[in-house]
């Protein structure tokens, strides 16, 4: 067990607006900063997708901010930036750096993260990354059009390969490079904190599953982002310094022979990108799994079913996550034998995911389920993860993927897991922890209304995409009717767009709830949910040093709900055994 | 005192959730079973093989999907709070062992089962008498090249590429004199075809639905695939680009024209004349 | 809204080495070296973490950072291996000065180890002397790398001349940049007062040493890749 945050926290709170709110080193402030960044990013990303959905169904409608009829490259730019903003600035920030920063130290009984200054630097580096990314819209040529995956040579030849491929693509790469640095800083902080700053009595197997999830996610980040950074540097050199890492020779682009490049490998970019890219999607979902497990147990009033198995399953997902990247490349021209090996590993990674699903059901079975908004979103996470995860089984097999690759079946799959399930994880965490962070509860009526539009709404958007994919409709098409077998599928596109408009509009309910409740929400006491973990033992909102100088001691696991023989149906982790009230009243 | 106000209407919420999940399963199954929007019928054995593997996958994932979602629906309804205590148990190792084993067998088994189709395309080489056609992707159309009577392709180089010579054939190479370059992929039915995929600029993706064939064309690489078409499946099939290649990605389509041997010879001669 | 003071832990560079845990005794010790909370080193600078927070976090942190750095370089080396198999590969001739530079870098690690032994003897002067020698040798290494670059440039070999030269410049630049970071750490330790260093248990020096030795080993590995890879 690591050394613990001893009693006697000595430092004084910072003075001045700049040090309290802007360059704060307090993990709670930094967590909120990341959350707010993600909030701005997610609404930006949704706005981009609204513009995309309008264009696909009403191609002649003039979109706001665009002069004239939208061009195909404008559509592709919207798509590229939508993907990049959502994957990096939303899914890789809020679940891990937002909620993790805020609650990981508290859940382990620490006064702050191991390296508060590094923490502050990691947020501001992320912010710079976001600014560089948005700047791509405004530079000459506009935003890049090569997708968030930026395959070479489309992304490395410069503007000759397409509009937006000039300075826009360069800004994109620079943004990603900053993001990699920020993520690595964050990962070092998270892992050190979990290893070294746990409170007395808090063994690894007594950690809440949220902490396990943040821990495993941080390890994935630590090992994956360095690879993306290296790939980004190679790409920048190809674009700006005349090297040929990813650009082969013999190219003729728009009639111009590209004699300055020889011998590079587009496949090399794909390998490097996806070596990062696959762990990245687990970075996006694992924190949500942690929050879901945590919340399901809390509101079912019984322990997580198979805590150890959950830990092993998340660890297995993490490890296997580094061995499956080739399943994005079955038809790329990579060796088919390698492809088959990747396929078997990918089918294998479905196993721990299935185990987690069964354990979630087991957690609910026999429970006393309290349907708060947080619980609804946790249940929503499970159904979405099942739906989205199972379509992965089709894509994991190269023979079936031959047909489905790069059709709408792929966005159907990844949106359900990343674009919805992971987001539901964030909603769960928000409804669960908003009272602790602000001292007020979110409005439950608005919360439930939000849920009941969003769950059917997101299913209405993304389930039909499977059918588009089965019919063979390729993705990333600026014109959804361009190929002759596509027009009969337009009714589906129509339906998806309408569903998207309604569902995205409903997210305003969430925003309204957040803002309104900050001022007018019902006051929350210390432990409104009758929960066991350490964050529910400190005031809402917490004092600046969390435990006010008293390091807690932990006496039991994090999910002691429903234990027979006690007056309460929950046993907080830090209450001494002698102080628990039994059923007999003593 | 804990605030339980959020849980008012517990039965109504539980019921709605359970009903929603059940209806959702029903709607999803309906569209998958009635095949309202589905893939077109295959035109060769390979396609049938792929479809068989798809059906096996669909069966296993379908059963898992229905069982999980309905299971979730049932537990949220049955175990809504009613004022009592939850059943306290922390897990069941035997269950874990059983469903882990079952999942491994099902998922990995499924993957191994699909080996046959993948092997057919990529591990097994086409017969030596396969007709070889070169497919080149460029921004934003496909070019097809036939080796002509001498059975050999002429040398190409980027500096020869222009409107009249889209494949960039070296005019000095004798082997290239009889090459036929077309914008339509004509093939005879009933015969093994070997496609050699190339790209002149960025990555493109060659896709024909009815063949169940997809292969990216990467610049700097030469990638072979092969297929044949059933003798009774004469017709026109669409070729779409499936790897994002720039602003014209969506309009980079071509036609695969499957003809009888006789018609094919006529067609090729006609193309050569142009 | 809660926050932390700016004067406290800029972790590696803060006084006391660790944020506040500055007793030279065992981590749980409350007495030793001055008692009271916030420092047994005579410092009045408080840290974010209460005393008792182990200096261990700096060791954990540096090993994690090295793991991430290793992944970065391994990724570049994988790219190198793949790129090497292309037909246009013409191995760059490695300037001979690289071997001298390597010797210099190895010497600097050896000097650091000598300073470590001086530390254990509590010999302030020897510690400082060896540490300064290591720092100086580090600077010499970087100067030597620059010389290697000039040699190649004089032969007309630049970053984009061919893939082999691209990797050469990239790998040496990346390593050099990381080494500059290491130099900053060495200079920081050099600038600290002996008593403060002792009071912090020498965390900064140890952690800087771990980083430096790793960069040393990394350089040897990269040179092997560049040499054997021809």
């Amino acid at each position: 067990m690591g050394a613990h945050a001893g009693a006697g926290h000595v430092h004084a709170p910072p003075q001045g607006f700049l040090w309290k709110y802007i360059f704060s080193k307090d993990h709670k402030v930094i967590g909120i900063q990341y959350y707010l960044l993600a909030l701005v990013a997610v609404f930006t990303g949704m706005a981009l997708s609204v513009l995309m959905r309008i264009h696909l169904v009403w191609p002649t409608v003039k979109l706001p901010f665009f002069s004239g009829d939208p061009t195909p490259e404008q559509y592709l730019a919207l798509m590229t930036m939508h993907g990049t903003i959502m994957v990096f600035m939303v899914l890789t920030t809020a679940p891990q750096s937002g909620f993790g920063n805020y609650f990981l130290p508290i859940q382990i009984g620490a006064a702050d993260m191991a390296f508060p200054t590094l923490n502050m630097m990691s947020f501001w580096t992320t912010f710079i990354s976001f600014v560089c990314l948005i700047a791509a819209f405004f530079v000459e040529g506009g935003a890049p059009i090569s997708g968030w995956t930026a395959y070479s040579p489309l992304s490395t030849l410069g503007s000759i390969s397409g509009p937006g491929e000039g300075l826009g693509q360069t800004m994109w790469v620079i943004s990603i490079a900053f993001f990699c640095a920020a993520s690595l800083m964050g990962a070092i902080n998270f892992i050190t904190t979990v290893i070294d700053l746990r409170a007395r009595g808090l063994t690894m197997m007594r950690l809440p599953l949220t902490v396990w999830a943040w821990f495993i996610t941080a390890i994935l980040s630590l090992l994956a982002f360095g690879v993306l950074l290296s790939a980004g540097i190679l790409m920048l050199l190809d674009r700006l310094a005349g090297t040929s890492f990813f650009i082969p020779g013999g190219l003729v682009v728009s009639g111009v022979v590209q004699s300055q490049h020889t011998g590079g490998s587009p496949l090399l970019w794909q390998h490097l990108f996806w070596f990062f890219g696959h762990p990245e999607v687990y970075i996006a979902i694992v924190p949500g799994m942690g929050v879901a497990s945590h919340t399901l147990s809390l509101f079912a009033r019984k322990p997580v079913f198979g805590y150890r198995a959950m830990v092993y399953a998340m660890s297995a997902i993490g490890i296997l996550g580094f061995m499956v990247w080739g399943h994005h490349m079955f038809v790329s021209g990579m060796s088919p034998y390698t492809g088959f090996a990747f396929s078997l590993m990918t089918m294998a990674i479905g196993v721990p995911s299935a185990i987690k699903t069964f354990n979630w059901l087991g957690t609910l079975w026999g429970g006393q389920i309290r349907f708060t908004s947080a619980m609804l979103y946790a249940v929503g996470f499970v159904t979405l993860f099942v739906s989205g995860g199972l379509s992965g089984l089709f894509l994991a097999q190269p023979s079936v993927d031959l047909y489905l690759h790069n059709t709408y079946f792929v966005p159907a799959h990844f949106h359900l897991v990343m674009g919805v399930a992971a987001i539901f994880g964030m909603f769960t965490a928000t409804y669960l922890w908003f009272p602790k962070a602000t001292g007020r509860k979110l409005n439950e009526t608005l919360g439930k209304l939000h849920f009941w539009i969003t769950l059917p709404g997101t299913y209405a958007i993304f389930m039909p995409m499977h059918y588009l994919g089965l019919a063979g409709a390729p993705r990333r098409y600026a014109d959804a009717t361009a190929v002759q077998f596509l027009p009969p599928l337009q009714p589906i596109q129509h339906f998806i767009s309408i569903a998207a408009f309604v569902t995205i509009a409903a997210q305003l309910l969430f925003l309204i709830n957040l803002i309104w409740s900050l001022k007018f929400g019902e006051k929350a006491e210390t432990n409104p949910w009758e929960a066991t973990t350490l964050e529910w033992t400190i005031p809402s909102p917490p004092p600046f040093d969390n435990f006010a100088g008293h390091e807690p001691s932990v006496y039991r696991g994090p999910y002691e709900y429903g234990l027979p023989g006690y007056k309460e149906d929950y046993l907080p982790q830090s209450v001494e055994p002698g102080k628990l009230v039994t059923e007999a009243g003593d | 005192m804990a605030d339980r106000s959020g849980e008012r209407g517990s039965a109504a919420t539980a019921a709605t959730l359970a009903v929603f999940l059940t209806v959702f399963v029903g709607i999803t199954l309906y569209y998958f079973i009635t095949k309202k929007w589905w893939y077109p019928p295959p035109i060769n054995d390979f396609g049938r093989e792929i479809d068989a593997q798809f059906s096996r996958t669909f069966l296993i994932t379908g059963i898992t999907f229905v069982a999980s979602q309905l299971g979730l629906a049932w537990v949220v309804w049955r175990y809504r709070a009613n004022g009592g205590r939850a059943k306290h148990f922390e897990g069941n190792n035997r269950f874990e062992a059983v469903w882990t084993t079952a999942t491994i067998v099902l998922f990995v088994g499924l993957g191994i089962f699909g080996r046959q189709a993948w092997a057919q395309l990529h591990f097994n080489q086409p017969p030596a008498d396969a007709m070889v056609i070169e497919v080149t992707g460029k921004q934003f159309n496909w070019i097809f090249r036939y080796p002509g009577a001498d059975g050999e392709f002429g040398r190409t180089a980027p500096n020869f590429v222009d409107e009249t010579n889209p494949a960039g054939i070296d005019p000095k190479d004798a082997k290239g004199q009889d090459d036929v370059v077309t914008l339509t992929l004509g093939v005879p039915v009933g015969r093994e075809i070997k496609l050699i995929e190339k790209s002149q600029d960025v990555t493109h993706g060659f896709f024909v639905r009815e063949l169940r064939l997809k292969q990216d064309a990467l610049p700097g690489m030469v990638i072979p695939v092969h297929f044949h078409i059933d003798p009774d499946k004469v017709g026109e099939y669409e070729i779409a680009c499936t790897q994002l290649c720039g602003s014209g990605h969506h309009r980079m389509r071509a036609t695969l024209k499957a003809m009888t041997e006789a018609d094919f010879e006529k067609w090729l001669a006609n193309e050569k004349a142009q | 809204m809660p926050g932390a003071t700016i004067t406290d832990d800029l972790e590696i560079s803060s006084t006391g080495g660790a944020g506040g845990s500055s007793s030279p005794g065992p981590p749980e010790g409350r007495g030793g070296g001055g008692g009271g909370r916030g420092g047994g080193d005579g410092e009045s600078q408080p840290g974010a973490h209460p005393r008792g927070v182990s200096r261990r976090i700096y060791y954990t942190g540096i090993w994690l950072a090295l793991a991430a750095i290793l992944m970065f370089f391994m990724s570049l080396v994988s790219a190198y291996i793949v790129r090497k198999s292309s037909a246009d590969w013409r191995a760059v001739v490695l300037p001979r000065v690289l071997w001298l530079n390597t010797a210099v870098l190895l010497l600097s690690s050896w000097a650091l180890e000598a300073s470590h032994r001086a530390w254990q003897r509590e010999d302030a002067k020897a510690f400082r002397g060896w540490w300064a020698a290591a720092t100086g040798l580090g600077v010499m290494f970087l100067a030597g790398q620059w010389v290697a670059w000039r040699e190649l440039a004089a032969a007309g070999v630049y970053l984009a001349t061919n893939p082999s030269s691209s990797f050469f410049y990239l790998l040496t630049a990346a390593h050099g940049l990381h080494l500059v970071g290491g130099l900053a750490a060495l200079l920081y330790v050099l600038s600290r007062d002996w008593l403060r260093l002792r009071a912090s248990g020498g965390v900064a020096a140890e952690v800087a040493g771990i980083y430096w030795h790793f960069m040393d080993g990394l350089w040897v590995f990269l040179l092997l890749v560049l040499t054997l890879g021809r």
Side-chain angles (χ1 to χ4, degrees):
Chain A
M1 198 184 81
H4 29 97
H9 187 82
V10 289
H11 77 263
Q15 307 299 322
F17 185 83
L18 205 63
W19 303 113
K20 272 172 82 164
Y21 299 111
I22 309 295
F23 296 113
S24 171
K25 293 189 276 186
D26 180 343
H27 68 102
K28 299 185 287 300
V29 175
I30 294 170
I32 291 175
Q33 287 174 322
Y34 269 109
Y35 188 83
L36 292 175
L37 177 70
L39 210 54
V40 169
V42 79
F43 276 91
T44 309
M46 285 195 292
L48 296 175
S49 68
V50 165
L51 296 178
M52 288 165 66
R53 289 308 320 173
I54 294 176
H55 181 72
L56 284 174
V57 179
W58 299 283
T60 53
V61 162
K62 295 197 195 317
L63 300 176
F65 308 113
F66 293 107
S67 51
D69 282 335
T71 59
E73 46 271 17
Q74 283 169 338
Y75 175 84
L76 293 176
L78 288 172
M79 172 207 79
T80 301
M81 298 298 279
H82 166 83
T84 310
I85 289 173
M86 291 302 210
V87 171
F88 288 104
M89 305 300 167
V90 181
L91 294 174
T92 315
T93 52
Q96 178 76 354
S97 312
F99 295 108
N101 255 313
Y102 200 113
F103 288 100
L104 189 152
I106 304 178
Q107 285 195 327
I108 65 170
D112 206 312
M113 284 284 194
F115 307 117
T117 307
L118 190 67
N119 209 6
M120 184 261 290
M121 279 164 42
S122 72
F123 171 73
W124 286 106
T125 311
T126 309
F127 183 81
I128 291 172
S129 165
F130 185 59
V131 169
C132 288
L133 188 60
I134 300 295
F137 275 121
F138 300 103
V139 298
E140 193 187 330
I145 60 171
S146 53
W148 87 284
T149 47
Y151 277 15
S152 174
L154 181 60
S155 60
T156 43
L157 286 171
S159 3
I160 195 165
S161 66
E165 285 305 311
L167 189 52
Q169 184 77 67
T170 303
M171 292 309 299
W172 185 93
V173 182
I174 291 174
S175 162
I176 298 299
F178 275 115
F179 194 88
C180 291
S183 300
L184 290 175
M185 290 190 252
I188 292 170
N189 230 334
F190 273 59
I191 300 170
T192 307
T193 305
V194 172
I195 293 177
D196 290 327
L197 297 188
R198 282 168 288 129
R200 254 187 303 263
L202 189 55
T203 59
M204 290 300 283
M205 286 316 213
R206 283 179 172 174
L207 286 174
L209 287 174
T210 40
V211 177
W212 266 111
W214 291 318
F215 180 62
I216 290 169
T217 302
I219 295 175
L220 296 182
S221 291
L222 188 78
L223 300 175
F225 273 99
V227 178
L228 180 64
L229 182 59
S230 76
I233 291 172
L234 295 178
M235 178 172 275
L236 263 181
L237 290 176
D238 270 7
R239 290 180 56 79
L240 304 176
T243 53
S244 300
F245 295 109
F246 305 129
I247 310 174
L251 300 186
V252 184
V253 187
S254 293
V256 179
V257 178
Q258 304 293 305
S259 44
Q260 68 275 36
H261 294 289
T262 64
S265 168
L267 217 51
L268 178 60
W269 165 262
Q270 292 186 34
H271 278 296
L272 293 176
F273 178 83
W274 285 118
F275 185 87
F276 150 79
H278 198 82
E280 164 66 6
V281 310
Y282 291 113
I283 290 168
I285 195 75
V286 166
M289 291 175 163
V291 168
S293 302
H294 189 81
T295 308
L296 288 174
S297 165
L298 204 173
F299 289 112
R301 314 308 292 167
K302 51 189 287 286
V304 168
F305 184 97
Y307 173 91
R308 220 165 250 272
M310 289 299 225
V311 173
Y312 294 149
M314 279 198 290
S315 306
I317 289 171
I319 295 170
L320 287 173
F322 273 100
M323 302 188 204
V324 299
W325 80 89
H327 67 229
H328 301 271
M329 297 167 61
F330 288 140
V331 303
S332 64
M334 171 179 76
S335 154
Y337 295 96
T338 318
F340 191 68
F342 277 119
S343 167
L344 286 181
M345 297 305 292
T346 310
M347 297 302 270
I349 210 173
V351 175
S353 304
I355 294 173
K356 293 190 78 71
T357 307
F358 299 140
N359 284 10
W360 286 322
L361 292 175
T363 304
L364 290 169
W365 196 93
Q368 282 286 322
I369 300 174
R370 301 178 177 177
F371 288 103
T372 59
S373 297
M375 186 54 159
L376 286 174
Y377 275 101
V379 172
F381 179 92
V382 178
T383 165
L384 288 160
F385 184 74
V386 168
S387 307
L390 286 174
S391 56
L393 280 173
F394 290 84
L395 299 170
Q397 302 174 66
S399 47
V400 177
D401 187 58
L402 271 176
Y403 185 89
L404 297 173
H405 175 70
N406 274 348
T407 63
Y408 264 84
F409 200 89
V410 177
H413 164 71
F414 69 67
H415 276 99
L416 278 175
V417 272
M418 292 210 299
V420 200
I423 301 288
F424 270 53
M426 287 158 57
F427 285 138
T428 306
T430 308
Y431 285 100
L432 178 70
W433 280 320
F434 185 91
K436 178 54 56 185
T438 63
R440 292 183 184 272
K441 297 182 79 177
L442 282 170
N443 183 283
E444 277 290 319
T445 311
L446 264 182
K448 293 198 160 79
L449 184 60
H450 174 226
F451 173 79
W452 282 114
I453 302 179
T454 306
L455 182 61
T458 47
Y459 267 141
I461 300 171
F462 298 112
M463 288 308 282
M465 285 192 189
H466 293 101
Y467 309 126
L468 282 174
L470 286 171
R475 60 185 286 218
R476 295 174 159 173
Y477 267 24
D479 177 352
T481 58
V483 171
Q484 276 162 18
F485 61 79
L486 289 178
L489 303 170
Q490 273 306 84
I492 308 182
Q493 294 280 15
H494 214 105
F495 180 84
I496 292 173
S497 288
I498 304 290
F501 301 150
V502 171
T503 311
I504 288 175
Q507 303 318 302
L508 290 170
L509 288 174
F510 176 70
L511 202 55
I512 291 169
N513 200 352
L514 276 180
I515 297 171
W516 183 89
S517 302
L518 273 173
K519 260 223 125 216
F520 302 112
E522 194 191 315
K523 285 238 194 248
E525 66 264 39
T526 303
N527 193 358
W529 311 123
E530 293 183 316
T532 56
T533 43
L534 294 179
E535 73 270 33
W536 304 106
T537 64
I538 61 179
S540 311
F544 87 96
D545 58 350
N546 300 339
F547 292 92
H550 306 295
E551 179 205 347
S553 291
V554 168
Y555 301 96
R556 59 190 61 82
Y559 298 115
E560 301 289 357
Y561 294 104
L563 224 68
Y566 292 93
K567 182 160 171 279
E568 301 287 351
D569 75 337
Y570 70 105
L571 305 180
Q573 281 191 283
S574 55
V575 173
E576 284 172 43
K579 296 234 169 74
L580 295 170
V581 182
T582 62
E583 243 161 13
D586 48 289
Chain B
M1 199 59 228
D3 170 16
R4 312 278 280 268
S5 62
E7 304 149 37
R8 268 196 285 275
S10 167
T13 307
T16 317
L17 204 45
V19 165
F20 169 77
L21 287 171
T22 312
V23 167
F24 164 64
V25 167
I27 297 176
T28 306
L29 276 184
Y30 170 77
Y31 283 108
F32 272 99
I33 291 175
T34 59
K35 304 190 180 180
K36 196 157 169 8
W37 298 285
W38 209 244
Y39 36 81
I43 58 177
N44 55 21
D45 281 335
F46 178 72
R48 285 183 278 278
E49 186 87 45
I50 302 282
D51 289 3
Q53 183 62 14
F54 179 87
S55 300
R56 286 177 214 124
T57 309
F58 180 53
L59 187 65
I60 292 181
T61 51
I63 293 174
T64 313
F65 174 77
V66 172
S68 307
Q69 303 286 13
L70 292 184
L72 185 62
W74 186 75
V75 290
V76 300
W77 166 250
R78 168 69 180 83
Y79 295 107
R80 64 196 185 282
N82 60 13
R85 277 281 169 110
K87 294 195 229 277
H88 181 266
F89 51 89
E90 290 179 339
N92 185 320
N93 285 337
R94 201 152 47 89
F95 279 20
E96 302 276 16
V98 165
W99 59 48
T100 304
T101 313
T103 314
I104 292 176
V105 167
L106 270 176
F107 286 4
V108 180
L110 189 59
I112 294 176
F113 233 100
R115 184 191 184 283
Q116 184 54 31
W118 184 245
Q120 203 176 319
L121 175 64
H122 279 302
F123 300 167
N124 303 343
Q125 296 310 311
D129 63 351
M131 173 181 290
V132 184
I133 307 172
E134 188 188 78
V135 177
T136 303
K138 61 182 271 298
Q139 288 177 327
F140 295 102
N141 64 293
W142 296 98
I143 308 167
F144 308 98
R145 182 159 74 127
Y146 297 77
D150 65 355
E152 296 202 36
F153 289 107
R155 208 180 68 85
T156 56
N159 49 302
F160 296 122
V161 171
D162 63 34
E163 279 103 49
T164 57
N165 187 2
I169 304 172
D170 183 350
K172 296 220 182 64
D173 187 359
K175 297 207 201 94
Q177 302 298 333
D178 62 348
D179 288 359
V180 183
V181 175
T182 70
L183 296 178
T184 300
L185 178 57
V187 298
V189 296
R191 212 176 136 185
E192 196 72 19
I193 313 288
K194 179 172 165 176
L195 291 183
I196 312 253
E197 293 200 21
K198 299 159 101 167
S199 166
Q200 274 182 5
D201 40 32
V202 300
T203 320
H204 299 277
F206 179 89
F207 177 46
V208 179
R209 301 186 305 157
E210 292 82 354
L211 291 176
R212 308 287 188 261
L213 181 65
K214 182 175 287 133
Q215 177 57 52
D216 282 357
L218 268 69
M221 287 176 77
V222 178
I223 304 171
V225 286
H226 61 99
F227 65 93
H228 72 266
I229 300 179
D230 288 347
D232 59 337
K233 300 285 197 298
V234 165
E236 290 194 354
Y237 307 99
E238 194 143 26
I239 300 168
C241 180
T242 49
Q243 179 54 47
L244 177 59
C245 55
S247 44
H249 172 52
H250 58 282
R251 56 181 164 85
M252 196 170 145
R253 51 170 302 282
T255 306
L256 168 64
K257 216 167 134 85
M259 305 167 265
T260 60
E261 190 83 39
D263 284 341
F264 169 73
E265 295 299 342
K266 267 193 261 168
W267 172 85
L268 194 58
N270 193 33
E271 289 286 332
K272 190 180 164 69
Q274 282 164 13
Chain C
M1 214 49 182
T5 58
I6 48 159
T7 50
D8 68 306
D9 61 297
L10 273 163
E11 279 68 41
I12 299 287
S13 55
S14 76
T15 52
S21 73
S22 18
S23 71
E28 290 87 52
R30 284 205 162 239
R37 302 189 310 195
D41 58 355
E43 281 305 318
S44 53
Q45 301 268 6
H49 295 297
R51 279 193 334 108
V53 169
S54 157
R55 298 173 316 224
R56 215 181 102 170
I57 59 174
Y58 299 103
Y59 294 91
T60 311
I62 196 66
W63 284 113
L64 292 171
L66 292 178
I69 291 171
L70 185 63
M71 287 305 288
F72 172 79
F73 278 98
M74 288 314 294
S75 177
L76 288 179
V77 169
S78 311
Y80 175 89
I81 293 171
V82 167
R83 189 63 179 83
K84 213 167 119 355
S85 58
S86 270
D88 66 331
W89 185 266
R90 306 272 172 277
V92 71
V93 176
L94 298 175
R96 297 264 276 263
V97 68
L98 288 183
W99 300 102
L100 178 64
N101 296 346
T102 309
V104 165
L105 195 60
L106 287 169
L107 263 175
S108 77
S109 272
W110 185 79
L112 271 191
E113 279 309 294
S115 76
H116 181 77
R117 287 192 290 277
W119 173 274
Q120 285 168 332
R121 294 193 309 268
E122 298 191 34
D123 184 345
K125 210 152 164 259
F127 171 81
R128 197 167 290 287
W130 282 114
W131 195 271
T135 310
L137 286 166
V139 174
M140 248 182 85
F141 171 84
L142 287 175
Q145 297 290 78
W146 178 252
V147 166
W149 278 27
R150 299 305 315 159
E151 256 186 58
L152 279 180
V157 178
Y158 302 95
L159 176 63
T161 305
N162 62 55
S164 172
S165 72
S166 301
F167 272 105
F168 177 82
Y169 278 103
L170 177 60
L171 289 171
T172 49
H175 174 264
L177 275 170
H178 283 86
L179 207 70
V180 167
L183 263 183
L186 293 189
L187 284 167
Y188 167 74
V189 171
L190 209 52
S191 73
R192 301 266 325 270
D193 162 272
W194 172 254
L195 285 175
R196 286 193 199 174
L197 278 177
R198 294 302 301 188
S200 74
V203 178
E206 286 225 41
V207 163
I210 292 170
Y211 183 87
W212 191 263
H213 291 320
F214 182 87
M215 283 304 138
D216 196 331
L218 179 65
W219 169 250
V220 171
F221 171 69
L222 291 177
L223 191 59
L224 272 169
V225 167
L226 287 170
T227 320
L228 296 175
R230 273 179 306 152

